Amino acid sequence: MSQRRTVALVTLGCARNEVDSEELAGRLEADGWELVLDAADADVAVVNTCGFVEAAKKDSVDALLEANDLKGHGRTQAVVAVGCMAERYGKELAEALPEADAVLGFDDYADITDRLQTILSGGKHTSHVPRDRRKLLPLSPVERQAAAEGGAVALPGHGAEAPAAAVAPVEETPIADLPEGLAPVSGPRVLRRRLDDSPVASVKLASGCDRRCSFCAIPAFRGSFLSRRPSDVLNEARWLAEQGVREIMLVSENNTSYGKDLGDIRLLETLLPELAAIEGLQRVRVSYLQPAEMRPGLVDALTATPGVVPYFDLSFQHSAANVLRRMRRFGDTDRFLALLDQIRAKAPEAGARSNFIVGFPGETEADLAELERFLTHARLDAIGVFGYSDEDGTEAADYDGKLPEDVVAERLAKISRLAEEMTAQRAEERIGSTVTVLVESIDEDDEDGDGDGSVIGRAEHQAPETDGITSLTGDLDGVKVGDLLTAKVVASEGVDLIAEVLGTAAGVGA
């Protein structure tokens, strides 16, 4: 590049998008861009959008408009949309939102520098016409790896190791010279750049999904399921540990399918102990599990592998058999409760969470009552509830039996109240128990470590941003972000816990 350019990445949506943003950051920094945290300080603001549901799409549009407002009032010259919404709508989004200077799809990520340079130079990039990405790879899972490695499809977040020359070693990048919140680069050369200094980071295990849930559009724009090679996952996890990460969360559209395209559906059970053994990592968490694909060996691995937290992010979506069949899913209340019983027989304090859709086409009052029965007995730690709305290109959008919006809203409010009550009750059940807490933040009033400020972390059953927090009390002298502590739960507030520190967790240095 002939001159230094600055770029800010604004990320919306799920943890998978966060991984994609950090890969984009790695590509840009390797090409000489200066990364900044605030879009107002950047020549170009890259907004990594979410295209899952209407509320998320609205947030993405608002973020693009907010970034556009910076133009003409500071350094910002261009605003670029990337991510799921950009991939899903492409040219249509560009026409509907002229405030965005470009809408880039996944296929543009490998050439992100050229795209941004063209835009900053006043050029135009023709937005892509969306296509069904499921058709880009062979139908047979075992044939996909060769096609993907041959460049048949772009896979955001699957970045392999970067050439050594592409990234400056840590000793050449003093922490004092980095923008606040950006971590230095060291360890294995990975095509990724951390955008914060949190002790927690996500690692993409796979991309895409082979399931055909009637309400979900994700497979069409994320593509068919494709696992990452275990060596790539391990290398990235080692690199993150070198950056000071203490907990990794494995993410994908469906972690229970990991390995099926590599010839071993039980590959996750083999990978987990290797990840947990990485020096510096204290916790490994697995998210996005499909109940219909859970198997005894995976339950054993998640409940009995040292360093792997007994945490089950189970995608139930509903529990009435009639509704689940229309969703093109499997199971029912009793089967789901039996699965939870199986898990708790192995690990009584295991964490469990899920999301649910209410008001699905054809949902009856009896179906809603069945969902209430499940939630009342499931003892879930965290529950997300969403009212059904049509999604472009999904089978359910053409279903009959649509419920009036006011009925959907009423059912959403009812189940949300129940969810709040049941999760608060589950948190109360944990009072008196001992938990292991990863410290994630220390109030500014306690920066000197004298124990005067609030110390916040998460117990094993609490995933980042979705499942509540644990506030620590007691002797907090010398406690640092990234410490793993044992504590006794003394109170709860909704899904959040208050716990008194007992000491450093066994096997972990102070």
Side-chain angles (χ1 to χ4, degrees):
M1 296 172 64
S2 59
Q3 71 179 102
R4 191 73 165 169
R5 298 287 198 182
T6 57
V7 59
L9 287 130
V10 180
T11 307
L12 295 97
C14 65
R16 300 185 293 272
N17 257 17
E18 294 171 5
V19 175
D20 294 352
S21 284
E22 294 198 347
E23 182 183 305
L24 285 172
R27 291 182 182 278
L28 289 164
E29 186 174 66
D31 286 339
W33 290 78
E34 179 183 345
L35 300 171
V36 296
L37 296 180
D38 192 337
D41 298 327
D43 293 310
V44 57
V46 177
V47 180
N48 192 348
T49 61
C50 178
F52 182 39
V53 294
E54 285 303 318
K57 287 184 277 190
K58 181 181 182 303
D59 288 344
S60 295
V61 170
D62 289 345
L64 287 163
L65 294 175
E66 182 178 342
N68 181 70
D69 288 342
L70 297 173
K71 291 191 293 188
H73 300 286
R75 180 162 184 157
T76 309
Q77 301 173 48
V79 176
V80 174
V82 299
C84 291
M85 189 176 180
E87 175 63 39
R88 184 176 180 183
Y89 295 105
K91 185 178 180 181
E92 179 184 346
L93 177 62
E95 293 173 349
L97 197 69
E99 290 85 354
D101 295 282
V103 174
L104 305 182
F106 297 150
D107 294 333
D108 292 307
Y109 284 20
D111 301 311
I112 187 67
T113 284
D114 289 343
R115 300 290 185 265
L116 298 190
Q117 282 287 77
T118 296
I119 294 158
L120 285 176
S121 299
K124 295 290 184 182
H125 177 71
T126 302
S127 300
H128 69 287
V129 176
R131 52 183 173 167
D132 189 337
R133 297 186 72 86
R134 291 172 293 190
K135 299 178 180 179
L136 302 182
L137 290 172
L139 183 62
S140 169
V142 295
E143 296 176 1
R144 292 176 190 164
Q145 288 290 331
E149 290 172 2
V153 61
L155 295 166
H158 282 230
E161 290 191 30
V167 207
V170 64
E171 60 268 18
E172 295 179 16
T173 314
I175 293 177
D177 294 342
L178 290 169
E180 183 180 354
L182 295 184
V185 178
S186 66
R189 308 293 178 172
V190 172
L191 190 57
R192 178 171 178 173
R193 182 65 152 101
R194 295 215 69 205
L195 293 174
D196 61 39
D197 55 2
S198 168
V200 184
S202 296
V203 174
K204 191 169 285 191
L205 195 61
S207 288
C209 186
D210 288 341
R211 303 187 71 85
R212 295 295 180 262
C213 300
S214 62
F215 56 83
C216 185
I218 290 176
F221 59 83
R222 276 290 184 180
S224 298
F225 184 87
L226 191 75
S227 303
R228 290 183 74 189
R229 295 282 181 182
S231 57
D232 289 341
V233 176
L234 287 164
N235 283 338
E236 188 165 325
R238 292 188 188 103
W239 179 82
L240 288 167
E242 289 285 335
Q243 308 305 302
V245 169
R246 295 297 169 254
E247 175 181 325
I248 61 167
M249 184 167 70
L250 300 178
V251 299
S252 75
E253 278 72 27
N254 178 8
N255 281 333
T256 35
S257 282
Y258 180 68
K260 72 175 187 179
D261 51 327
L262 295 172
D264 185 1
I265 191 61
R266 295 176 177 82
L267 193 56
L268 183 55
E269 289 95 304
T270 304
L271 180 62
L272 286 174
E274 295 185 66
L275 287 167
I278 291 174
E279 184 177 357
L281 286 184
Q282 297 172 343
R283 298 204 302 208
V284 176
R285 184 181 303 275
V286 183
S287 61
Y288 304 110
L289 301 170
Q290 285 289 341
E293 297 181 33
M294 289 299 295
R295 48 196 179 269
L298 183 54
V299 172
D300 289 342
L302 291 171
T303 55
T305 304
V308 176
V309 295
Y311 175 80
F312 292 81
D313 176 11
L314 295 159
S315 177
F316 289 125
Q317 301 300 342
H318 211 284
S319 73
N322 168 62
V323 176
L324 287 166
R325 300 306 174 268
R326 285 174 66 84
M327 288 180 169
R328 295 202 178 280
R329 297 176 66 85
F330 304 94
D332 55 42
T333 295
D334 292 333
R335 291 180 187 179
F336 291 163
L337 290 175
L339 173 59
L340 291 170
D341 286 344
Q342 177 189 355
I343 291 167
R344 288 170 178 144
K346 302 279 186 180
E349 298 302 318
R353 78 164 328 273
S354 192
N355 293 325
F356 299 88
I357 298 172
V358 297
F360 193 77
E363 181 189 65
T364 65
E365 288 288 352
D367 294 329
L368 194 70
E370 188 68 1
L371 177 56
E372 291 180 82
R373 180 169 80 90
F374 173 71
L375 293 176
T376 301
H377 292 90
R379 298 169 60 228
L380 298 175
D381 292 284
I383 298 170
V385 187
F386 302 89
Y388 173 81
S389 62
D390 288 337
E391 280 296 313
D392 300 333
T394 63
E395 182 182 352
D398 296 324
Y399 277 0
D400 58 10
K402 299 284 178 60
L403 301 179
E405 289 186 9
D406 61 333
V407 173
V408 175
E410 180 182 343
R411 293 184 180 185
L412 174 61
K414 181 178 183 180
I415 297 300
S416 296
R417 286 193 298 269
L418 177 62
E420 185 175 346
E421 176 185 345
M422 300 313 301
T423 52
Q425 182 174 308
R426 177 65 179 134
E428 287 179 8
E429 292 177 10
R430 294 189 181 274
I431 295 176
S433 66
T434 299
V435 293
T436 304
V437 180
L438 178 69
V439 177
E440 289 195 337
S441 67
I442 298 177
D443 187 271
E444 293 182 359
D445 292 335
D446 196 35
E447 285 185 334
D448 57 1
D450 63 4
D452 292 335
S454 61
V455 177
I456 305 297
R458 288 179 299 100
E460 291 184 330
H461 69 279
Q462 296 170 322
E465 299 181 5
T466 60
D467 299 348
I469 59 173
T470 297
S471 300
L472 294 172
T473 64
D475 183 7
L476 301 174
D477 186 27
V479 169
K480 305 180 299 299
V481 170
D483 284 350
L484 198 66
L485 307 173
T486 57
K488 182 178 180 179
V489 181
V490 296
S492 65
E493 296 178 354
V495 297
D496 298 332
L497 302 180
I498 300 171
E500 183 176 358
V501 171
L502 300 176
T504 302
V508 178

